[in-house]
């Protein structure tokens, strides 16, 4: 008896808690209402569609998003306003809607999800009226023809012009300061003269000075002895400028005794007298007569001639060595100019790459220089065209070419299929296909639209597998074209072969758009290489361009 009581008690307890949860769920309620601020508008005028939700604060609310108000177009979705009181809150969500064709339109029911449960608003009728034009005041004109609008060009050409301008300026500066044959200065022209001619010219320039007129004997003898020493340094003894008078005379006597120079003792004596007299003037403050100074000048002139006559004629070997030296020197100067030019060009190139890398990214610069084919595919001249019937409008990098398609025919349901495709080998593939099935209206158990879509999707996957694709992982989602056609988008990843032997595979992605009616199935199939930023943009651009036109058009 006691056991039966306990059992009965347990049953009652369980029922009690079930009742409590039932009452709790009943008390946790949600109220949804909708309204519009006007039921009659003019073409292009905006109306405000408002959804009000009153529910518990613990419930999550999901409002409709996207173009769910067709045939009206949503032009703006406002942030919801929230008002809280007690354990509940009130949410107000507003949408801006419009329509650009006159007529009467029904705003479909909108689905709101509250705490996992779906609520629907009432449908509403909206009338869109034409704008009345008073033709007595406003003249009417013919409709203007359509005009082609060119795509606005980017400013890349401005950067190109700037780089060209900078390159021209740098090239001019390099030519002007490095490669240009500069006119010689007077000093450079004198430096290129032979030692004898330079010595004679220096004596002539000494005569033009005012040293003797101003009795500047020290300066006069300094210049005079430098001329004779410089000439001897270049032609006889390469240390004549730094030697003392005695050291220089001893060297001349030694060369004369060794028959290395045919200079007489008298000539050496004359040179010695002039050098020692100059030493007295410079160090002992001696002041010889001005006429003697002039005579010493004539003696130096004569001795320069004597030294020239005493020197042996240069041999062919010496002349050849001198010519080789000049060629080597010219070659060295040319190499220096080349290195300077190369260094400037390298710095300019690095700077240009740096600027473009900062603006566009280093990978973009590398792909531009190397001419990456997927980048060229994205930036090429795209083609917008219609394929199949009913037509599918799509933009692609190249014109799609018709494919020969074999279809398994059925006597009960004749099938026709057209397909158009383009492929960038092993990287990108797109095809547009239209399948028409002649449906017998008398037939029973006709497949539904959903079944037709599922069948063509499976047919595409079987075709991919037949071509070697593997590891196909699809995900389905709703897809709406820019002109409002609804379909199914199947996307995911796969692996496809890149060689005929099907031994090497790469990772890829695919996008499959499927549209179906009672007897027509249209598809856009794209599969492409994974992790390529240019192909991602190509696919995004292709998908955004897809539009369907009804058969009546």
């Amino acid at each position: 008896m006691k056991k039966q009581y306990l059992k009965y008690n347990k049953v009652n307890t369980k029922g009690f808690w079930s009742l409590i949860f039932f009452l709790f769920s009943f008390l946790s309620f949600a109220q949804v209402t909708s309204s519009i601020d006007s039921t009659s508008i003019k073409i292009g005028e905006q109306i405000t569609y408002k959804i009000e939700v009153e529910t518990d604060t613990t419930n999550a609310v999901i409002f409709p998003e996207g173009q769910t108000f067709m045939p009206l177009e949503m032009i703006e979705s406002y942030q919801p306003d929230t008002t809280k009181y007690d354990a509940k809150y009130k949410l107000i969500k507003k949408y801006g809607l419009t329509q650009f064709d006159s007529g009467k339109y029904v705003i479909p029911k909108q689905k709101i999800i509250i705490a996992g449960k779906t609520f629907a608003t009432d449908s509403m009728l909206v009338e869109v009226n034409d704008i009345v034009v008073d033709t007595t005041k406003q003249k009417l004109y013919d409709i203007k023809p359509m005009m082609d609008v060119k795509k606005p060009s980017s400013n890349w050409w401005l950067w190109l012009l700037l780089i060209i301008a900078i390159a021209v300026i740098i090239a001019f500066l390099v030519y002007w300061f490095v490669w240009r044959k500069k006119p010689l200065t007077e000093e450079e022209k004198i430096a290129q003269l032979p030692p004898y001619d330079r010595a004679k010219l220096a004596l002539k320039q000494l005569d033009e000075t005012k040293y003797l007129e101003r009795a500047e004997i020290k300066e006069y003898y300094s210049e005079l002895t430098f001329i004779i020493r410089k000439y001897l340094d270049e032609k006889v003894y390469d240390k004549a400028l730094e030697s003392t008078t005695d050291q220089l005379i001893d060297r001349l006597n030694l060369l004369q005794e060794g028959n290395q120079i045919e200079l007489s003792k008298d000539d050496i004596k004359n040179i010695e007298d002039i050098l020692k007299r100059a030493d007295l003037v410079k160090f002992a403050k001696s002041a010889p007569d001005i006429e003697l100074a002039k005579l010493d000048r004539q003696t130096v002139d004569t001795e320069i001639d004597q030294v020239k006559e005493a020197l042996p004629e240069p041999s062919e070997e010496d002349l050849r060595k001198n010519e080789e030296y000049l060629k080597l020197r010219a070659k060295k100067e040319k190499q220096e100019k080349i290195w300077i030019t190369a260094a400037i060009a390298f710095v300019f190139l690095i700077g240009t790459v740096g600027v473009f890398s900062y603006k566009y990214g280093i990978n973009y610069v590398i792909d531009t220089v190397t001419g990456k084919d997927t980048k060229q595919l994205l930036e090429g001249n795209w083609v917008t065209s219609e394929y199949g019937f009913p037509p599918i409008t799509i933009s692609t990098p190249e014109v799609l070419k018709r494919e020969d398609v074999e279809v398994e025919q059925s006597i009960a349901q004749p099938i026709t299929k057209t397909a158009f495709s383009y492929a960038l080998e092993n990287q990108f593939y797109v095809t547009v296909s239209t399948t028409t099935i002649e449906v017998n209206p008398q037939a029973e158990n006709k497949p539904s639209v959903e079944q037709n879509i599922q069948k063509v999707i499976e047919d595409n996957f079987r075709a991919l597998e037949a071509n070697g694709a593997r590891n196909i992982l699809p995900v389905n989602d709703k897809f709406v074209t820019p002109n409002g056609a609804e379909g199914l988008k199947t996307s995911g990843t796969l692996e496809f072969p890149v060689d005929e032997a099907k031994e090497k595979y790469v990772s890829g992605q695919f996008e499959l758009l499927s549209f179906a009616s009672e007897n027509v199935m249209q598809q856009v199939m794209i599969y492409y290489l994974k992790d390529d930023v240019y192909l991602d943009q190509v696919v995004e651009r292709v998908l955004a361009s897809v539009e369907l036109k009804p058969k009546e058009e």
Side-chain angles (χ1 to χ4, degrees):
M1 183 73 180
K2 185 177 182 180
K3 292 182 179 179
Q4 290 180 350
Y5 173 77
L6 292 174
K7 183 177 179 182
Y8 176 77
N9 191 31
K10 289 180 180 178
V11 171
N12 285 347
T13 302
K14 183 176 180 181
F16 172 77
W17 285 111
S18 299
L19 179 63
I20 291 298
F21 283 120
F22 173 77
L23 292 174
F24 180 79
S25 61
F26 177 77
L27 292 174
S28 178
F29 73 97
Q31 183 178 354
V32 178
T33 59
S34 62
S35 63
I36 52 177
D37 60 350
S38 177
T39 58
S40 178
I41 62 173
K42 294 180 181 179
I43 291 178
E45 188 177 355
Q46 179 176 323
I47 61 173
T48 300
Y49 183 93
K50 182 168 65 175
I51 299 176
E52 297 184 17
V53 175
E54 186 176 342
T55 184
D56 294 341
T57 56
T58 58
N59 294 338
V61 180
I62 301 177
F63 290 100
E65 294 294 339
Q67 297 294 344
T68 61
F69 300 91
M70 301 294 292
L72 269 70
E73 180 180 350
M74 186 191 74
I75 57 177
E76 190 169 3
S77 175
Y78 300 95
Q79 291 294 327
D81 294 331
T82 305
T83 303
K84 184 177 179 181
Y85 55 94
D86 296 333
K88 299 181 179 60
Y89 59 64
K90 183 178 183 181
L91 298 174
I92 300 177
K93 175 72 173 179
K94 295 181 180 180
Y95 301 88
L97 309 179
T98 190
Q99 174 57 254
F100 297 96
D101 289 326
S102 60
K104 294 183 178 181
Y105 300 93
V106 175
I107 300 177
K109 296 179 179 181
Q110 299 299 308
K111 295 180 180 180
I112 298 93
I113 300 175
I114 304 174
K117 296 181 180 180
T118 302
F119 296 81
T121 64
D122 295 331
S123 58
M124 299 181 182
L125 179 66
V126 177
E127 184 176 3
V128 181
N129 302 309
D130 287 324
I131 299 176
V132 180
V133 179
D134 187 352
T135 56
T136 61
K137 297 181 179 179
Q138 175 65 48
K139 294 182 180 180
L140 297 179
Y141 300 93
D142 292 336
I143 299 175
K144 293 184 178 181
M146 295 180 64
M147 298 178 62
D148 293 332
V149 179
K150 294 183 178 180
K151 180 182 178 180
S153 58
S154 62
N155 60 351
W156 65 267
W157 60 273
L158 292 174
W159 286 93
L160 180 61
L161 289 178
L162 177 61
I163 291 174
I164 292 175
I166 295 175
V168 169
I169 294 173
I170 292 176
F172 174 77
L173 294 176
V174 170
Y175 163 77
W176 186 262
F177 291 104
V178 179
W179 289 96
R180 180 177 64 96
K181 192 174 181 180
K182 304 175 185 66
L184 299 177
T185 62
E186 192 66 28
E187 291 77 9
E188 291 173 335
K189 291 179 181 179
I190 294 174
Q192 290 186 346
L193 294 174
Y196 175 80
D197 294 336
R198 275 189 278 114
K200 288 291 187 177
L201 180 61
L203 288 174
K204 183 178 179 181
Q205 292 175 344
L206 181 62
D207 294 338
E208 295 174 357
T209 63
K210 305 291 185 180
Y211 290 145
L212 295 181
E213 293 181 10
R214 296 194 294 265
E216 296 175 351
I217 302 300
K218 181 179 178 180
E219 288 78 5
Y220 184 84
Y221 271 96
S222 295
E223 291 286 340
L224 184 62
T225 54
F226 177 79
I227 293 171
I228 185 63
R229 280 178 175 271
K230 179 69 175 175
Y231 181 67
L232 293 173
D233 184 85
E234 293 179 331
K235 301 300 294 183
V236 180
Y237 179 45
D238 59 359
K239 295 184 179 180
L241 286 174
E242 59 192 64
S243 299
T244 63
T245 299
D246 291 338
Q247 290 173 342
L248 178 56
I249 297 303
D250 290 343
R251 185 66 178 181
L252 293 177
N253 286 323
L254 185 61
L255 293 174
Q256 189 268 338
E257 292 172 0
N259 295 323
Q260 296 182 22
I261 182 172
E262 297 180 359
L263 196 62
S264 66
K265 292 289 185 181
D266 292 337
D267 292 327
I268 296 175
K269 178 63 176 171
N270 291 336
I271 295 173
E272 181 181 8
D273 292 342
I274 294 173
L275 292 178
K276 287 187 174 182
R277 190 175 298 114
D279 290 341
L280 292 174
V281 171
K282 289 187 287 183
F283 303 113
K285 298 184 180 181
S286 175
D289 186 74
I290 291 178
E291 294 300 324
L292 180 58
K294 292 180 180 180
L295 180 61
D296 287 341
R297 185 266 180 217
Q298 296 298 327
T299 303
V300 168
D301 193 0
T302 302
E303 295 306 327
I304 288 175
D305 294 335
Q306 293 298 326
V307 172
K308 181 183 179 184
E309 294 294 331
L311 293 173
E313 292 293 329
S315 63
E316 292 184 5
E317 184 178 357
D318 293 336
L319 293 175
R320 186 170 60 253
K321 287 182 179 180
N322 185 57
E323 185 178 356
E324 291 177 355
Y325 169 76
L326 294 176
K327 288 182 179 179
L328 184 62
R329 181 178 176 183
K331 183 179 179 180
K332 185 178 180 181
E333 291 178 352
K334 186 177 181 180
Q335 287 178 343
E336 290 178 352
K337 292 179 180 180
I338 292 174
W339 279 108
I340 293 173
T341 305
I344 294 174
F346 179 76
V347 172
F348 176 73
L349 179 63
I350 293 299
T352 302
V353 172
V355 170
F356 277 95
S357 298
Y358 176 77
K359 185 171 179 61
Y360 299 105
I362 184 63
N363 292 331
Y364 182 88
V365 175
I366 294 174
D367 294 339
T368 302
V369 173
T370 57
K372 189 172 183 178
D373 46 8
T374 56
K375 179 177 180 293
Q376 294 178 350
L377 193 71
L378 174 64
E379 298 177 349
N381 295 321
W382 282 46
V383 178
T384 302
S385 187
E386 296 179 349
Y387 301 93
F389 186 81
I392 298 179
T393 303
I394 188 172
S395 296
T396 53
E398 299 285 345
V399 177
L400 305 185
K401 295 182 179 180
R402 180 183 289 271
E403 287 186 351
D404 295 328
V405 183
E406 295 183 1
V407 181
E408 295 182 4
Q409 294 292 341
S410 170
I411 297 176
Q413 291 182 314
I415 300 174
T416 59
K417 184 175 182 179
T418 59
F420 304 84
S421 66
Y422 166 77
L424 179 64
E425 187 175 4
N426 300 330
Q427 298 186 75
F428 174 78
Y429 178 84
V430 57
T431 182
V432 176
S433 62
T434 302
T435 304
T436 304
I437 304 174
E438 298 296 333
V439 179
N440 185 359
Q442 309 280 330
E444 297 181 358
N445 299 324
K446 293 185 291 184
S448 64
V449 172
E450 290 76 12
Q451 290 174 332
N452 287 337
I453 289 181
Q454 191 61 38
K455 182 179 182 303
V456 294
I457 291 175
E458 292 174 357
D459 290 343
N460 276 275
F461 289 157
R462 281 194 291 269
L464 286 175
E465 291 173 346
N467 290 326
R470 66 187 187 187
N471 297 333
I472 302 174
L473 303 175
V475 176
N476 292 331
D477 195 8
K478 184 180 178 181
F479 184 83
V480 180
T481 66
N483 65 337
E486 294 186 0
L488 183 65
K489 177 181 178 182
T490 307
S491 57
T493 59
L494 78 167
E495 294 179 348
F496 58 88
V498 292
D499 58 348
E500 294 182 359
K502 299 179 182 178
E503 295 178 351
K504 183 179 180 181
Y505 281 76
V506 294
S507 298
Q509 296 176 252
F510 68 88
E511 303 286 346
L512 175 60
L513 304 183
S514 303
F515 306 90
S517 60
E518 184 177 359
N519 65 331
V520 177
M521 281 154 296
Q522 298 168 286
Q523 287 188 303
V524 177
M525 178 65 181
I526 307 171
Y527 67 88
Y528 55 101
L529 199 62
K530 193 176 181 181
D531 298 328
D532 188 307
V533 292
Y534 305 110
L535 289 181
D536 292 341
Q537 295 178 59
V538 168
V539 173
E540 182 179 352
R541 184 173 173 182
V542 171
L543 295 179
S545 69
V546 175
E547 290 187 1
L548 270 66
K549 294 185 179 179
K551 193 172 182 179
E552 297 73 46
E553 294 185 3

